[in-house]
Amino acid sequence: LDFNIIIFINIFSMKANTLFSYSIIGIILMIAGQLCFAINDTIVKFEVKNIDNNYAIFNIIFIRGLFTTFFIILYLTLFEKKNILTIIKNRKYNLRGVYEVITALFFFTGLVLMPVSLVYTLLMTNPFFVTIFAYLFLKEKVGIRRWTAVIIGFIGVIIIIRPQGIDFNYLFILPILAAIFLTIRDILTKNIVTKKNSFEIILVTSILMSFFSGISSIYFGFNIKLDQFMNILFSSIFLTFAYLFSVMTIFYAPLSLTATARYSVIIFGMIFGYIILKEIPTLNMIIGAIIITLSGMFVIKRQKDLGKIE
């Protein structure tokens, strides 16, 4: 049944241009991907809290990765008749997967130690850092309006983190580092993705994530209980769809268009964090999230207007 659903989504996305424009498809896929990521991340954090051991995050990612890898290999073997070894040896897929692993390392460390919605909000600072790095290292000219948006965005960050206490401020760098590597990952994906290789890309990513988390689990030990496997299985299913949507959205629409829809994950994070994890967003967090979202959207719009991104 799961594979029938995956096939249906793949066929629908390829044929839907008869009903929707590519731009609309890209935005829908981005929002759907963020929803799946939010559900997956919430389940992962919920199980880590149940174990009451932060290092268990590696165990959960490892088991989840095994499930996800199995699903993808089964699909590629049975339905697309692909050679798995050839896919695994692809250097471009592996390079993208490495950046995915680095992103996940920073992201999940922050996820365990901070509220879900807060991690998502700080992750959405990537347009600001893209602008700063372009100015510093690429000597790109940045106008007063984009600098203003960057400054306003960081004001939003300050509004969020100030009530937390200075002793914990070092944690906030984790989602921001994740945002930087997330941007690099998306650029690499844009250069290699086609209609036919979406599952190949996410297979290599899933294998690398499983390998890294497996090695970490050996070092930190295993703390998973059998009654947690069902939730981890559900998590892997949502992760599979999230990976698929995140790759497909880059093919169907330009990053400048779909990037703004990525901010929907903040809303999903607040909803699931409140309902499942009992994380109540503060007024500062809500105000800061709104400021970061609006200023981030403006930065993306300016980059598009200036032809810096397609």
Side-chain angles (χ1 to χ4, degrees), residues 9-17 22 195-196 248 252:
I9 291 177
N10 205 21
I11 294 175
F12 172 79
S13 297
M14 295 177 65
K15 302 294 184 180
N17 59 307
Y22 278 152
K195 284 186 177 181
K196 299 180 179 180
M248 292 177 67
Y252 278 99

Side-chain angles (χ1 to χ4, degrees), residues 232-281:
I232 297 176
L233 173 61
F234 286 136
S235 173
S236 69
I237 293 173
F238 282 108
L239 179 65
T240 301
F241 281 109
Y243 277 154
L244 176 62
F245 293 148
S246 65
V247 171
M248 292 177 67
T249 187
I250 293 176
F251 174 79
Y252 278 99
L255 286 173
S256 57
L257 178 64
T258 61
T260 54
R262 183 173 280 155
Y263 286 93
S264 61
V265 77
I266 298 176
I267 299 175
F268 296 138
M270 287 185 177
I271 293 173
F272 295 134
Y274 176 75
I275 295 175
I276 299 176
L277 302 173
K278 310 304 179 185
E279 297 174 350
I280 302 176

Side-chain angles (χ1 to χ4, degrees), residues 121-133 175-176 178-184 186 259 262-263 292 296 299-300 303:
T121 301
L122 295 177
L123 189 67
M124 293 300 104
T125 56
N126 64 310
F128 313 137
F129 283 91
V130 169
T131 298
I132 293 173
F133 291 160
I176 294 174
I180 294 172
F181 285 102
L182 177 66
T183 302
I184 298 174
D186 284 346
R262 183 173 280 155
Y263 286 93
I292 290 174
V299 169
I300 294 171
Q303 288 178 312

Side-chain angles (χ1 to χ4, degrees), residues 123-170:
L123 189 67
M124 293 300 104
T125 56
N126 64 310
F128 313 137
F129 283 91
V130 169
T131 298
I132 293 173
F133 291 160
Y135 174 78
L136 293 177
F137 301 111
L138 302 179
K139 307 303 179 182
E140 178 182 310
K141 293 182 179 180
V142 179
I144 185 65
R145 282 181 286 185
R146 268 202 289 170
W147 278 127
T148 301
V150 169
I151 293 172
I152 292 175
F154 280 109
I155 291 175
V157 173
I158 293 173
I159 290 175
I160 291 174
I161 68 178
R162 192 163 181 256
Q164 304 295 323
I166 194 169
D167 292 339
F168 299 94
N169 279 355
Y170 70 94

Side-chain angles (χ1 to χ4, degrees), residues 178-226:
I180 294 172
F181 285 102
L182 177 66
T183 302
I184 298 174
R185 185 210 69 179
D186 284 346
I187 294 174
L188 288 175
T189 304
K190 185 68 176 178
N191 292 330
I192 63 176
V193 67
T194 67
K195 284 186 177 181
K196 299 180 179 180
N197 68 354
S198 297
F199 275 96
E200 297 178 20
I201 294 173
I202 62 178
L203 171 63
V204 174
T205 297
S206 183
I207 291 175
L208 290 176
M209 286 292 298
S210 300
F211 176 78
F212 169 78
S213 56
I215 296 297
S216 301
S217 294
I218 293 174
Y219 181 80
F220 292 110
F222 285 85
N223 302 277
I224 298 294
K225 300 177 182 178
L226 289 177

Side-chain angles (χ1 to χ4, degrees), residues 6 10 68-69 71-77 79-98 100 189 192-209 240 243-248:
I6 294 174
N10 205 21
T68 303
T69 301
F71 292 148
I72 299 172
I73 288 178
L74 202 58
Y75 171 75
L76 286 173
T77 303
F79 294 96
E80 295 196 8
K81 310 298 182 182
K82 294 293 181 65
N83 186 313
I84 302 302
L85 290 179
T86 301
I87 296 173
I88 295 175
K89 293 178 182 179
N90 189 299
R91 292 184 178 181
K92 292 181 179 180
Y93 295 169
N94 279 277
L95 179 60
R96 179 196 180 276
V98 168
E100 182 85 53
T189 304
I192 63 176
V193 67
T194 67
K195 284 186 177 181
K196 299 180 179 180
N197 68 354
S198 297
F199 275 96
E200 297 178 20
I201 294 173
I202 62 178
L203 171 63
V204 174
T205 297
S206 183
I207 291 175
L208 290 176
M209 286 292 298
T240 301
Y243 277 154
L244 176 62
F245 293 148
S246 65
V247 171
M248 292 177 67

